[in-house]
Amino acid sequence: MTKRWRLKTRTEKEIRTQDILTEELKLNPIISKLLVQRGITSVDGAKKFFKPSLNDLHDPFLMPDMHKAVKRLNKALGNNEKILIYGDYDVDGTSAVSLVYRFLRPYSTLLDYYIPDRYDEGYGISYRSIDYAEEQGIKLVIALDCGIKAIDKVKYANEKGIDFIICDHHMPDDKLPDALAVLDAKRIDSIYPYEHLSGCGVGFKFMQAFAMSNDIPFSTLECLLEFTAISIASDVVPITGENRILAYFGLRQLNYNPSVGLKGIIKTSGLTGKEITTSDIVFKIGPRINASGRMMNGREAVDLLLAKDEKAASEKSANIDQYNDERREMDRKITEEANAIIDELTDIEDRKGIVVYNPYWHKGVIGIVASRLTEKYYRPAVVLTKSSDLITGSARSIIGFDMYKAIESCRELLENFGGHTYAAGLSLREENMEAFIERFMKIASEEVTPEQMTPQIDIDMVIKLKEVNTSLMSELKKMNPFGPDNEKPVFCSYNVKDFGTSRIVGKDGTHLKLELIDDSSNIPAHAIAFGMSEHDKYIKNNTPIDICYTIEENVYNGITSIQLMIKDIRPSNTTDCD
């Protein structure tokens, strides 16, 4: 699929600001430019960016209902009440439950945790869990990463004398559940300075407030930041502001002193002895934690994250790794079946959205399949299957199309829905499915533009290959952790040629191992282009090419070198970037 390259531009003011940062902080001008592009326009802001401080975390009591939540938790602990910690079955939910449970464990022996079954109970707070709380004599439930729309469920709990404290980060409706406290920085009445916390992040702020109210040193919270890092990376929330601080120190915890359970996952993921990054969480650690909720029950993930014994952690990690293998195979099979359905459509080129349905697809992997369809066809995609008596679905979007808003526009046809701009979930009755598909496709046809259906690569700047060196690599590493709103920088180099040693590699001959030069240097830059062997024709013909890429460290046989990770290749006579 042809990709559109978009080169970021600078205003005169931004150029002046870049020059000031370069001079004041003695930075490589490339780094200064990257900072300004990310909205960091002062020397003080740059210093805080490079050296995040836990002292810059916001006061948790600025969040609406925080005082009420802390007061109720203190009462429950003081009266030796049973407390149920409830969370969603994904990485964010299970890490949030693990964080809150682990922090409160020294203060109560009457804690329990509950992860709903994806298949029998579905997303969010369930009636079954409230009945369970009643049976166990539980009077306080702390709900994490869910609950912001559970109006009927909370009402049901209130009728049974069960209090709810909701800690959520999803978009609320105009009406909030009648819970004892609703902690969500996205509330319309919120004055909290940062609204992009993960669900686990909201749970952390609750525990921070609880600690402050009881004169518990903040240092007792720091070991829990490994959970916030995992949730922030896995839930794809912006790594800016407070999230950057939580992710930065969480990654430090993961790298230097992970808990027993996470040490087990790190080992199973093949990351022992390596520096763990947000990418490692997204592609290795997170999927394994998620696999438990996708294939079996998310409670197993919490059991592992809370493990105290290395042997038990190793066994649980192996189980979850097996679930992940099963998940990958199922994901592959269902993606093939979904693609086969789309291949039968004669008007796919004219469609601005994709909806596919198979009642036998596994509910646990349809979100991944939706992501794969969006990546392949570059259209908003909804994947539907049948679960119990309802049709359930996962939706993923493209840049510029608000999936949550589109799903919300169909709300009278739905039983439940929730999510974010680029990812959403929904459930509906079978008799409403055709009407939903028709409505969704109409919205997509009206709102998705042809430009949005062309994948776009945002390029930070054009540089010469000689500028790619160990000094630049060292400064780029200081910009970690990378993620949404602080993406790994993408560079472009024009008129690049093969040094004479580039070749096709890989078992199936689909990748390119490149050694490239330009007019700035005759020392070849090493690069890898996965799945781009079709561009070998340019190499064979010694055609000048343009490349866009990220700069990575490659470790092989204990030797570290710089490698360009190619994102796209085109002949140099192509029109310059947009």
Side-chain angles (χ1 to χ4, degrees):
M1 182 180 289
T2 301
K3 298 180 177 68
R4 184 171 71 252
W5 295 16
R6 189 181 74 89
L7 181 62
K8 296 176 183 176
T9 58
R10 292 179 295 166
T11 64
E12 289 297 325
K13 181 180 179 181
E14 287 173 333
I15 293 172
R16 289 194 299 271
T17 302
Q18 172 194 330
D19 293 340
I20 292 170
L21 294 180
T22 299
E23 178 65 27
E24 292 287 329
L25 297 172
K26 309 302 180 192
L27 293 174
N28 183 319
I30 291 174
I31 301 298
S32 299
K33 183 176 179 179
L34 291 171
L35 292 177
V36 173
Q37 287 174 338
R38 284 153 175 72
I40 300 161
T41 57
S42 69
V43 171
D44 184 56
K47 288 179 178 178
K48 287 186 176 182
F49 178 83
F50 285 123
K51 291 189 176 180
S53 171
L54 291 169
N55 293 327
D56 290 329
L57 292 175
H58 302 305
D59 179 355
F61 286 102
L62 292 173
M63 198 174 291
D65 285 358
M66 187 63 81
H67 284 281
K68 291 193 287 186
V70 170
K71 182 179 179 180
R72 181 64 182 91
L73 178 56
N74 281 328
K75 176 185 174 185
L77 293 172
N79 293 340
N80 288 319
E81 294 181 38
K82 290 183 177 180
I83 301 172
L84 183 66
I85 301 169
Y86 186 104
D88 187 24
Y89 37 68
D90 68 0
V91 181
D92 194 11
T94 53
S95 60
V97 169
S98 301
L99 183 151
V100 172
Y101 186 92
R102 205 167 101 188
F103 186 68
L104 294 180
R105 190 160 50 187
Y107 308 105
S108 174
T109 58
L110 299 175
L111 299 178
D112 192 5
Y113 53 88
Y114 191 105
I115 306 295
D117 186 280
R118 182 189 289 263
Y119 307 99
D120 294 338
E121 296 171 85
Y123 168 78
I125 297 166
S126 68
Y127 288 112
R128 181 194 292 183
S129 67
I130 297 169
D131 290 339
Y132 171 83
E134 182 183 35
E135 292 165 7
Q136 298 299 314
I138 292 165
K139 294 299 181 183
L140 175 62
V141 179
I142 300 171
L144 298 148
D145 190 36
C146 61
I148 197 65
K149 295 186 176 184
I151 292 174
D152 293 340
K153 312 288 175 53
V154 171
K155 180 181 178 182
Y156 182 70
N158 289 341
E159 291 169 355
K160 294 177 176 294
I162 298 170
D163 291 332
F164 261 82
I165 295 172
I166 292 172
C167 304
D168 207 347
H169 71 127
H170 295 98
M171 193 66 67
D173 284 335
D174 293 336
K175 183 180 179 181
L176 297 175
D178 187 24
L180 184 135
V182 178
L183 308 179
D184 190 331
K186 289 187 175 75
R187 282 177 53 165
I188 195 169
D189 60 341
S190 176
I191 61 168
Y192 192 75
Y194 190 75
E195 68 173 13
H196 301 298
L197 293 167
S198 64
C200 183
V202 178
F204 178 83
K205 299 304 295 187
F206 182 21
M207 293 302 96
Q208 183 188 6
F210 169 77
M212 290 169 65
S213 76
N214 289 282
D215 296 321
I216 299 170
F218 184 86
S219 58
T220 61
L221 285 161
E222 290 185 38
C223 64
L224 304 175
L225 290 172
E226 61 185 11
F227 296 125
T228 63
I230 288 170
S231 73
I232 288 167
S234 298
D235 221 51
V236 202
V237 292
I239 303 188
T240 57
E242 195 164 38
N243 276 347
R244 179 170 174 81
I245 300 171
L246 296 173
Y248 179 90
F249 286 97
L251 280 166
R252 178 180 290 185
Q253 182 73 23
L254 267 179
N255 277 291
Y256 295 108
N257 191 25
S259 60
V260 172
L262 278 168
K263 198 178 292 184
I265 299 176
I266 290 168
K267 182 178 180 181
T268 303
S269 303
L271 295 171
T272 302
K274 299 179 181 179
E275 181 182 0
I276 297 170
T277 65
T278 50
S279 291
D280 293 320
I281 295 173
V282 171
F283 294 110
K284 295 183 178 181
I285 295 174
R288 284 172 168 80
I289 296 173
N290 240 342
S292 175
R294 291 187 188 281
M295 306 305 295
M296 295 295 289
N297 187 287
R299 185 179 176 95
E300 287 190 62
V302 179
D303 291 342
L304 170 58
L305 293 174
L306 293 174
K308 296 180 179 180
D309 175 77
E310 287 190 11
K311 184 174 182 293
S314 179
E315 292 173 354
K316 294 179 189 299
S317 295
N319 288 342
I320 282 180
D321 197 49
Q322 178 62 35
Y323 298 151
N324 194 46
D325 288 342
E326 293 171 6
R327 186 273 306 167
R328 276 196 294 239
E329 176 57 28
M330 192 167 290
D331 156 26
R332 182 196 62 76
K333 181 175 179 292
I334 294 176
T335 300
E336 287 180 356
E337 292 174 357
N339 282 324
I341 292 173
I342 296 169
D343 287 343
E344 293 295 317
L345 300 174
T346 57
D347 62 343
I348 184 60
E349 293 300 323
D350 299 323
R351 294 185 180 221
K352 293 186 176 180
I354 292 171
V355 183
V356 289
Y357 168 66
N358 185 320
Y360 303 107
W361 284 340
H362 197 287
K363 180 182 176 183
V365 299
I366 57 173
I368 302 172
V369 175
S371 294
R372 300 204 189 286
L373 297 182
T374 299
E375 290 168 8
K376 180 174 181 178
Y377 300 100
Y378 222 73
R379 291 158 170 76
V382 182
V383 180
L384 301 170
T385 189
K386 193 166 186 178
S387 180
S388 299
D389 296 327
L390 292 175
I391 302 299
T392 186
S394 284
R396 298 294 183 269
S397 194
I398 55 176
I399 294 173
F401 181 76
D402 191 331
M403 182 61 80
Y404 179 86
K405 185 178 177 183
I407 299 295
E408 186 180 38
S409 299
C410 307
R411 65 184 309 155
E412 75 272 14
L413 298 170
L414 307 176
E415 295 299 302
N416 195 12
F417 72 97
H420 310 285
T421 301
Y422 294 111
L426 62 137
S427 62
L428 67 160
R429 296 192 181 281
E430 191 166 4
E431 58 266 28
N432 290 330
M433 184 170 65
E434 289 303 321
F436 164 77
I437 294 173
E438 183 178 345
R439 176 89 58 86
F440 175 81
M441 292 297 290
K442 184 174 186 295
I443 293 169
S445 68
E446 292 172 350
E447 297 185 10
V448 175
T449 66
E451 290 76 21
Q452 287 175 309
M453 293 163 62
T454 302
Q456 176 176 295
I457 300 176
D458 291 320
I459 299 170
D460 290 280
M461 69 189 78
V462 178
I463 62 174
K464 294 288 189 177
L465 291 182
K466 72 174 183 180
E467 295 178 276
V468 180
N469 51 43
T470 54
S471 175
L472 176 62
M473 184 75 244
S474 177
E475 292 197 49
L476 284 172
K477 288 177 69 176
K478 294 176 183 176
M479 295 184 67
N480 274 303
F482 292 115
D485 293 347
N486 182 38
E487 299 283 358
K488 189 170 288 187
V490 177
F491 301 100
C492 174
S493 293
Y494 293 145
N495 291 302
V496 172
K497 290 187 177 182
D498 173 36
F499 183 64
T501 49
S502 300
R503 63 193 188 278
I504 292 176
V505 296
K507 290 180 180 179
D508 48 2
T510 56
H511 314 313
L512 282 177
K513 180 74 173 173
L514 303 168
E515 294 187 1
L516 305 168
I517 57 173
D518 64 7
D519 59 11
S520 72
S521 174
N522 285 319
I523 300 173
H526 297 268
I528 185 73
F530 291 114
M532 299 186 196
S533 60
E534 75 273 14
H535 296 304
D536 183 53
K537 58 191 176 186
Y538 305 131
I539 304 302
K540 288 178 178 176
N541 297 330
N542 203 27
T543 303
I545 57 174
D546 301 339
I547 56 172
C548 60
Y549 54 90
T550 58
I551 302 173
E552 312 287 345
E553 276 190 339
N554 183 44
V555 181
Y556 184 72
N557 286 338
I559 299 174
T560 301
S561 61
I562 295 175
Q563 179 173 258
L564 310 184
M565 186 70 70
I566 304 295
K567 297 178 73 69
D568 200 18
I569 297 172
R570 66 183 189 183
S572 292
N573 57 6
T574 308
T575 305
D576 283 351
C577 298
D578 293 344

